[in-house]
Amino acid sequence: MPFLDLPAILSAGGTVRLPGSKSLSNRILLLAALAEGETEVRDLLKSDDTDRMLEALAQLGIRVTPAGEGAITVHGCGGKIPVKEAQLFLGNAGTAFRPLTAALALAGGAYHLSGVPRMHERPIGDLVDALRHLGADIACLANEGYPPLQIRPAALNATAATVPVKGNVSSQFLTGLLMALPLLDRTVTVEVVGELISKPYIEITLATMRRFGVDVAREGWQKFTVQAGSRYKSPGVIYVEGDASSASYFLGLGAIAGGPVRVEGVGADSVQGDIRFADALAAMGARITMGPNWIEAAPPLNGSLKGIEQDCLAIPDAAMTLVPVAVFAKGPTKLTGIASWRVKETDRIDAMANELRKLGGTVETTTDTLTVYPPANLDELHCAEIETYDDHRIAMCFSLMTLATPLRILDPGCTAKTFPDYFERFAEVTTAVPVIAIDGPSASGKGTVTQRVAEALGWHYLDSGALYRLTALAARKAGVDWHDEAAVAHIAAHLPVHFAGGLTFLGDEAVDDQMRTEEMGIGASTVGALPAVREALLLRQRAFRQAPGLVADGRDMGSVVFPDATTKVFLTASAAVRAERRYKQLMEKGFSAKLQDILQDLEDRDARDAARSVAPLRQEADAKLLETSHLTIVQAVNQVLDWSGNKAS
């Protein structure tokens, strides 16, 4: 599975222009298609969900043409869908699937609607029941109440003046029904059965319908009436607001990571209910300011955010971002009214809880609540792989956790559903923990220099060679051949290593002397040439990137492990000088050795490391060469510090 490793960050600040709202984009596309006249749509979201809607409209005979940069023209059909028979694949796009189901059920055609396996697990029965009440002919082809669906032409019930629809599972059912009713050309009242969740999304629907000339009368949140004679008419030009749900990640980031962070494209004048996420941040103590088309978030002036109890019925999507934010607050945060999370792209309650626990977080859940208990110290959190469940919001939510730890996002491309370039935009407003990467051949002195630079700066230290030596040592102890790639990679992935008190431990055993032998040096070079082993150790190495900074040594630190390192150094010395240094080290430790044998071994190892297909030893184009044959350790350390622009603490 593809992955993206996110470094730990120090802070965040800046401005982000938001992509268009997914909810608004697909509502506008469908209403523009059903309207009389041509509608120019500007700032439309480009994403998987809108792509599925546009593909469906094209199959239905709706013409869409370019209208300049970032704009399209939708040529409306005046309520008469041209194509009367089609098979539509709608992926996992609920904002396309539900409204199209309602519109096509009243269009007098034969349509097959399907999606990805998860879409076939998302309930649609309440909408189907409401449409059947109107006389629609809809068959659930696999499980009753779930897609895929087969819609057939039907004699619609001309006497049905009211239609009931449940409101406690998804607001998209009511949205789809309301948007389709003008196609009937008669007065119909929708009665909501039970509590209506996600009311702000219904407000978006009503506001969008008004823009296209249909005003829905309502009695509270229980009755909605579409009058006979209602017709969608093009507003001419319509702009899509920035996505308020997407704004939540950057506002949350501003509240926990120094800030301020400003989002543009959504603000006080927005029709989207998810801007109320800013109110939840304010209740936690964040400083929130906003204008008509922007919102800005920053941490409290004094102290930390505080945990709250938040009813999330009004902000079901944006509320997910409160989970990572709550980790950085004082006291628990309880989110209530989130039962709808369980029928989204995945079961979001369980998914958010499972992934936060992987990082060391403490969370409790019920059928419709989630409570986060922040750690006493952020050092209790640790690096892990985050499963995203093909859910864009999980991927984006957990990016905020990089304020505490590096992490790996599996399947990062899932953000294409609403925010295709999210991680690039995230990187633009965050400052990653700095890295000084020092690469070079064996016995060049890079380990000593790296360790002393780290000590001088008060930064973390990574001896990547130790991880490869430990892998070779652990394989030898387990009786595994160094050339058995799969077995060695498994050992590397589960290596019980930790560094403490200047010692290196494999499990509970200090193994510094064992791993520093010439045999383990050869073993490190051998297992380090195996692609699966390097892959297994990649995240483990990146996990050392913690605030305030990291100094790392190895043979591919600047090329593979930390290609974005702020300073890259290639430290070397002649083979003869390196052999002499290694010989002296061994003599001082009481080991017997022959200088000529050491020299031959180093030359052989240099040749192997330079010739290997995976991460060969070489100086990167952006790395500075540091030849230490005639330098003291102090001189080499000072040169690295000078190049890095950092001062010793």
Side-chain angles (χ1 to χ4, degrees), residues 4 52 72 80 88 108 219 226 288 291 297 319 439 466 470 476 512 519 525 527 536 548 554 592 604 625 629 641:
L4 176 66
R52 299 296 82 74
I72 60 172
K80 307 295 182 183
L88 307 179
E219 298 177 30
V226 176
I288 303 294
D439 290 315
L470 286 168
R476 177 57 52 82
D512 293 80
E519 181 190 14
S525 182
V527 302
S592 62
D604 291 345
L625 178 64
S629 294
L641 290 171

Side-chain angles (χ1 to χ4, degrees), residues 80-360:
K80 307 295 182 183
I81 293 176
V83 174
K84 294 302 181 183
E85 186 172 347
Q87 292 198 8
L88 307 179
F89 176 78
L90 298 165
N92 202 10
T95 56
F97 204 110
R98 276 71 177 267
L100 278 169
T101 295
L104 295 177
L106 307 184
Y111 306 102
H112 179 276
L113 280 69
S114 65
V116 299
R118 174 58 185 172
M119 178 56 80
H120 296 172
E121 297 173 352
R122 299 175 67 179
I124 199 170
D126 294 333
L127 175 59
V128 169
D129 289 344
L131 292 167
R132 286 171 175 167
H133 184 85
L134 292 170
D137 185 346
I138 305 175
C140 298
L141 299 179
N143 299 308
E144 185 60 32
Y146 295 86
L149 306 178
Q150 179 63 54
I151 296 171
R152 296 182 178 86
L156 297 173
N157 184 355
T159 63
T162 63
V163 55
V165 64
K166 293 181 180 178
N168 62 348
V169 175
S170 173
S171 65
Q172 288 177 6
F173 301 157
L174 177 56
T175 281
L177 197 56
L178 291 174
M179 290 172 64
L181 285 179
L183 301 180
L184 288 179
D185 193 21
R186 56 188 171 86
T187 300
V188 177
T189 296
V190 181
E191 294 185 345
V192 176
V193 178
E195 183 181 10
L196 176 61
I197 65 171
S198 307
K199 295 181 181 71
Y201 285 101
I202 301 304
E203 291 179 331
I204 292 175
T205 300
L206 300 179
T208 308
M209 291 175 69
R210 272 195 302 273
R211 291 295 306 275
F212 283 86
V214 174
D215 201 351
V216 179
R218 70 179 177 93
E219 298 177 30
W221 295 102
Q222 297 306 123
K223 291 186 178 182
F224 300 81
T225 301
V226 176
Q227 297 292 337
S230 296
R231 293 283 188 278
Y232 291 125
K233 296 180 180 179
S234 170
V237 177
I238 189 167
Y239 288 83
V240 179
E241 280 186 12
D243 190 80
S245 300
S246 296
S248 69
Y249 313 116
F250 296 100
L251 295 176
L253 188 63
I256 64 175
V261 175
R262 175 177 291 203
V263 295
E264 294 181 343
V266 65
D269 293 344
S270 174
V271 299
Q272 299 172 73
D274 271 349
I275 65 164
R276 298 177 191 173
F277 173 81
D279 296 337
L281 288 181
M284 299 179 81
R287 290 175 289 142
I288 303 294
T289 53
M290 67 174 68
N293 196 43
W294 59 270
I295 310 175
E296 189 172 276
L301 279 175
N302 298 301
S304 303
L305 297 174
K306 61 182 180 181
I308 59 172
E309 182 167 334
Q310 177 69 37
D311 182 345
C312 301
L313 273 173
I315 53 169
D317 287 340
M320 291 175 67
T321 313
L322 292 173
V323 174
V325 170
V327 173
F328 301 92
K330 297 295 185 184
T333 292
K334 183 176 184 179
L335 308 182
T336 64
I338 57 172
S340 65
W341 284 19
R342 295 199 181 275
V343 295
K344 296 287 188 176
E345 282 81 346
T346 188
D347 183 332
R348 287 174 167 171
I349 292 180
D350 284 352
M352 292 296 289
N354 291 342
E355 301 313 302
L356 187 56
R357 290 179 182 127
K358 283 184 184 178
L359 296 172

Side-chain angles (χ1 to χ4, degrees), residues 393-441:
R393 300 208 182 281
I394 291 175
M396 293 185 282
C397 277
F398 275 93
S399 65
L400 274 64
M401 291 301 299
T402 55
L403 187 61
T405 178
L407 51 83
R408 173 169 290 178
I409 299 289
L410 298 177
D411 189 23
C414 67
T415 63
K417 185 176 177 69
T418 52
F419 206 150
D421 62 343
Y422 172 77
F423 291 109
E424 290 84 352
R425 306 287 284 279
F426 181 85
E428 289 172 1
V429 294
T430 55
T431 299
V433 168
V435 174
I436 299 174
I438 302 178
D439 290 315

